[in-house]
Amino acid sequence: MELVEEPAAFGVQLMRLAEVRGIGVSALARRASVAHTEITSVLRGNEPEPSLLRRLAPALDLHPSDLFVVAGREVPDDLAPLDPAAASAVGWLAWELTYLPNAAPELHQLVRAMPQQPRPPGPPPYPRYPSGAGSLVLRLLHNRNLNWLGSAKYLFGIGRRDMLSASTIGMIGHGRKALTPDLLAGFAAFLDISPRDLSALTGIELTSAGRPVHPDAAEVAALIWNARRLTADQLRQLEDRAHAMRHERADVLEPHLRCSCPGHT
């Protein structure tokens, strides 16, 4: 049985995004350098053209690929994560980003310094979901190259919510587990989308007195976003460096958090 309501149409979501920014249709059209009629057409229920989504995204201060996700359109190759095979490595970085002091800035710097590689062949492995708020959040997570397991790790470590299984994350996407305001706030911590925008898009109201998130949450969210341009091999190099940092900084970790494998040189 579905536990979530049908989400609002894209036109309604677009109007909500404009409203939380305090702008109307005319102002949004000017920001996006598009005709007023292009936006009113979408507000009336017509499907947005890809070119319109690309123009609207910066006008709303959103990632263009995220707006494709919100609109229910396939993300174009030039906007999609580079290598779906890198998803598991993105998830494994969660341990160091959660527990190692100052790991997020150093690893983020390495992410930004890695050279751009060609796109490997292969279709994205992510499942499709029925319509719903949970579906939208899962598709936004997949747009960051996060699979169910990686999403669960970051929800626990960075969102500081209860540890959920990978299958439970999948249940949220399929509408078999409710996406609560508290869970949405946890996902917001590493989605690089403002909580108010997620609230507007999902129709789920977030209370102002929510539980705290990891102090490095904003840096981690930016790292995850920038890591989506890397290949699986590059992410494995980053993972190796993160593991080495765990050994180098063992003295700042509680004994139960120290790695028991042979130290790195």
Side-chain angles (χ1 to χ4, degrees):
M1 181 177 67
E2 294 287 326
L3 297 177
V4 293
E5 296 181 358
E6 236 357 69
F10 177 67
V12 176
Q13 293 172 311
L14 179 60
M15 197 68 252
R16 289 176 182 172
L17 290 172
E19 286 172 352
V20 298
R21 287 156 176 77
I23 59 175
V25 175
S26 297
L28 180 57
R30 287 194 299 272
R31 286 189 182 190
S33 299
V34 299
H36 184 280
T37 53
E38 287 192 68
I39 295 180
T40 55
S41 174
V42 172
L43 296 179
R44 293 189 186 110
N46 292 318
E47 189 172 274
E49 292 294 329
S51 58
L52 178 61
L53 294 174
R54 288 177 184 267
R55 287 181 174 271
L56 284 173
L60 294 167
D61 197 26
L62 293 173
H63 299 298
S65 58
D66 280 343
L67 204 56
F68 274 83
V69 171
V70 172
R73 303 291 299 266
E74 290 292 328
V75 177
D77 283 348
D78 66 306
L79 298 178
L82 185 74
D83 186 1
S88 59
V90 177
W92 283 112
L93 289 173
W95 195 99
E96 287 80 12
L97 292 170
T98 297
Y99 295 111
L100 276 182
N102 301 314
E106 180 175 335
L107 291 175
H108 193 189
Q109 184 177 2
L110 288 173
V111 167
R112 290 189 295 249
M114 286 184 167
Q116 188 65 58
Q117 300 293 334
R119 180 177 296 276
Y126 298 117
R128 295 186 178 275
Y129 304 95
S131 297
S135 164
L136 174 58
V137 169
L138 262 291
R139 287 183 288 116
L140 289 169
L141 290 166
H142 295 334
N143 192 39
R144 283 139 183 82
N145 222 2
L146 285 172
N147 55 21
W148 293 353
L149 180 57
S151 299
K153 290 177 179 179
Y154 284 105
L155 181 65
F156 174 75
I158 304 303
R160 290 189 167 172
R161 265 51 184 180
D162 293 339
M163 184 66 196
L164 302 181
S165 67
S167 60
T168 302
I169 297 293
M171 289 172 65
I172 293 172
H174 286 286
R176 295 193 291 270
K177 178 177 174 59
L179 178 62
T180 64
D182 188 60
L183 280 174
L184 185 61
F187 287 123
F190 56 96
L191 262 176
D192 196 28
I193 301 176
S194 73
R196 68 175 187 169
D197 281 351
L198 284 175
S199 181
L201 291 169
T202 61
I204 297 173
E205 186 175 354
L206 296 178
T207 61
S208 58
R211 284 193 281 169
V213 299
H214 194 285
D216 291 336
E219 181 96 43
V220 171
L223 183 155
I224 292 171
W225 178 261
N226 289 324
R228 68 198 289 281
R229 71 171 186 84
L230 302 179
T231 65
D233 285 343
Q234 288 175 312
L235 263 295
R236 280 189 284 270
Q237 295 173 36
L238 194 70
E239 187 181 345
D240 288 343
R241 175 58 195 145
H243 188 192
M245 290 166 60
R246 186 173 176 181
H247 287 269
E248 294 166 2
R249 302 178 189 179
D251 58 331
V252 302
L253 294 172
E254 295 293 329
H256 70 283
L257 293 176
R258 295 172 188 168
C259 187
S260 60
C261 72
H264 288 204
T265 58

